[in-house]
Amino acid sequence: KITDVQATSMVVNWEEPEFDGGSPIIGYLIERREKSGKRWVKCTKEYIQTPYYRSENLIEGLLYSHRVSAVNKAGAGTPSEPTAHVQAKKPIDPPGPPGAPEIVNMGKYSVQLQWAEPANIGGAPITGYFMEVRPA
């Protein structure tokens, strides 16, 4: 499972295997592959001791898949099924367009408008709007 996706990193999470091969697990080997790549590349030279790992130095915009192998005294076991491809990207996007402005009240030198919030807010609260005015 992939969590905490950022522009240049993401966290890979997994569960310990049900069977340790008759010897305690001494760590985990993490590999990744870019979607258009053909080879799996080790993410680190050392075995990981926790059931999660932050995969770093990713290229923003590319899609990555990861897999994990448990390691005991006999070596690395069969790798897990690869994760789905996940795009390295900023965790929020710009919001979609708001609804069309509607006139609520009109005065001699002013107009009061209202509009609907964007359907897609981009993953973060809306902090304001830009309003442009032009002569008719």
Side-chain angles (χ1 to χ4, degrees):
K1 177 178 159 183
I2 301 294
T3 59
D4 194 21
V5 176
Q6 302 290 324
T8 59
S9 70
M10 59 185 70
V11 175
V12 184
N13 303 270
W14 62 91
E15 294 181 17
E16 295 182 12
E18 293 178 18
F19 180 64
D20 64 10
S23 178
I25 303 297
I26 59 174
Y28 298 93
L29 173 67
I30 317 303
E31 298 174 293
R32 73 178 174 221
R33 181 172 66 185
E34 194 263 307
K35 186 173 183 178
S36 65
K38 295 184 181 179
R39 294 181 343 134
W40 287 97
V41 178
K42 290 180 183 178
C43 292
T44 180
K45 294 177 184 176
E46 296 83 31
Y47 296 136
I48 303 304
Q49 302 301 311
T50 57
Y52 58 88
Y53 173 75
R54 179 170 292 281
S55 183
E56 298 181 305
N57 300 315
L58 306 179
I59 299 171
E60 185 174 3
L62 294 184
L63 294 161
Y64 293 90
S65 181
H66 291 78
R67 67 183 186 181
V68 180
S69 300
V71 181
N72 65 14
K73 287 183 181 179
T78 303
S80 66
E81 287 295 315
T83 64
H85 287 95
V86 176
Q87 185 178 32
K89 67 182 197 101
K90 294 176 183 167
I92 60 172
D93 293 316
E102 297 175 5
I103 297 173
V104 175
N105 194 358
M106 192 167 28
K108 186 173 181 180
Y109 298 105
S110 66
V111 65
Q112 184 180 2
L113 303 172
Q114 72 178 14
W115 56 87
E117 186 173 89
N120 175 4
I121 63 169
I126 301 291
T127 58
Y129 294 90
F130 289 102
M131 184 64 78
E132 294 179 343
V133 178
R134 64 182 169 133

